[in-house]
Amino acid sequence: MRLVLVGPPGAGKGTQAQFIASHLSIPKISTGDIFRYNVSTGTELGKQAKAYMGRGDLVPDEITIAMVVARLQEPDAQSGFLLDGFPRNVPQAEVLRKLLAEWDTRLDVVLELVVDDDEVVRRLSGRRTCRQCGRIWHVLFEPPARAGICDDCNGELFQRDDDREQTIRHRLDVYAEQTQPLIAFYADDGILLGIDATGPVEEITERAMSALRRFIR
Ligand code: AMP
C-alpha cells in the first residue's frame, strides 16, 4: 500500500505512522525524522534544514523533494510505503504524483488525522524527547518516573525548539496556509480518508486500521 498521513503538528502522526506501518509491513518514511537525524549528525543537509526547522517553517521544496525522491528509490520502498510529513504543500504533492506516475503507480490513500488547535498546543507544549534513544514522553499524559530523565535509557529529556508554544502557533499557521490545501487536493482525487485523532492512542490506531482495511490489496 502507498499511503500518506496528513494532519497538523501534534496530531500524533509520528506515533500512528509507526503503528500503521508495522501493521501493514511497509516502511515509514518520515521527513521530519530524516531532517532531525541529519541535524543531529551535522550533515550538509542538516545544516541547510536546521534554521527553517527551529523557526517552524518548511524546509525549501528543492531540498525536501530531492531527499524524498532518493529515499523512495531504496529497495524497501518498492512495494509500498507510508509517508509521514510529506507532502506538506501542493507543489510537493504534484511532484509526488508525477514521480509515482513515471514509476507506473500512484497513492492508494491519504489518511487525515483530525484534531483542533487547542488540543495540539496542549499536546506539543508538554512533549519531551529523549536525547539518547529518541523516545517521546509527555509531562501530563505520559510522564517519566523521574522528571527530565528517560525511564528506558536514563537519557536526558529535552524540549524540541519547535515544540515551544510560540513556535507551535506558528507551525499551526504554516499548516493552515500550506498543508491544509492538500486536503481538497486529495479529496478531489477521491483518495482522502479522515479520522478523529483524539482519544487513546490504541483507539486511534484501531480507527485508522478499520478505515484503511478496504484499501488493502
Ligand atoms: P515534523 O516532525 O513532521 O513536524 O517535521 C519537523 C520539521 O521538519 C517541520 O516543521 C519542517 O521544518 C521540516 N519538514 C518536515 N517535513 C517537511 C516537508 N515535507 N517539507 C518541508 N519541511 C518539512
Side-chain angles (χ1 to χ4, degrees), residues 28-101:
K28 171 188 103 138
I29 299 176
S30 159
T31 42
D33 285 351
I34 303 176
F35 280 135
R36 277 185 290 280
Y37 174 78
N38 279 276
V39 170
S40 70
T41 52
T43 65
E44 193 47 45
L45 177 65
K47 283 180 199 146
Q48 290 172 334
K50 190 173 181 186
Y52 298 99
M53 294 174 73
R55 288 194 299 269
D57 286 329
L58 294 187
V59 177
D61 284 351
E62 66 268 25
I63 299 175
T64 308
I65 290 168
M67 179 178 92
V68 172
V69 171
R71 179 63 186 89
L72 287 177
Q73 294 188 71
E74 289 189 19
D76 67 334
Q78 298 316 301
S79 49
F81 52 76
L82 186 162
L83 281 170
D84 158 26
F86 184 93
R88 227 23 180 253
N89 56 27
V90 171
Q92 292 182 4
E94 280 167 345
V95 171
L96 179 64
R97 174 187 281 168
K98 210 166 138 238
L99 186 72
L100 293 178

Side-chain angles (χ1 to χ4, degrees), residues 96-174:
L96 179 64
R97 174 187 281 168
K98 210 166 138 238
L99 186 72
L100 293 178
E102 280 167 17
W103 296 342
D104 279 330
T105 186
R106 59 183 172 77
L107 291 175
D108 295 299
V109 53
V110 173
L111 183 69
E112 180 192 6
L113 300 183
V114 181
V115 288
D116 69 40
D117 286 8
D118 288 342
E119 175 70 13
V120 163
V121 174
R122 201 166 41 237
R123 288 183 187 183
L124 289 188
S125 56
R127 187 155 85 165
R128 300 290 180 273
T129 307
C130 175
R131 221 178 266 291
Q132 208 155 288
C133 72
R135 175 157 177 189
I136 292 167
W137 297 89
H138 195 284
V139 295
L140 299 177
F141 310 138
E142 202 186 5
R146 291 161 297 168
I149 297 172
C150 179
D151 286 1
D152 287 357
C153 72
N154 290 324
E156 180 203 359
L157 304 185
F158 74 105
Q159 182 175 42
R160 276 168 46 176
D161 284 348
D162 55 352
D163 281 346
R164 294 174 201 281
E165 177 153 356
Q166 209 183 349
T167 318
I168 295 167
R169 296 274 174 205
H170 180 61
R171 288 165 73 201
L172 283 169
D173 290 344
V174 170

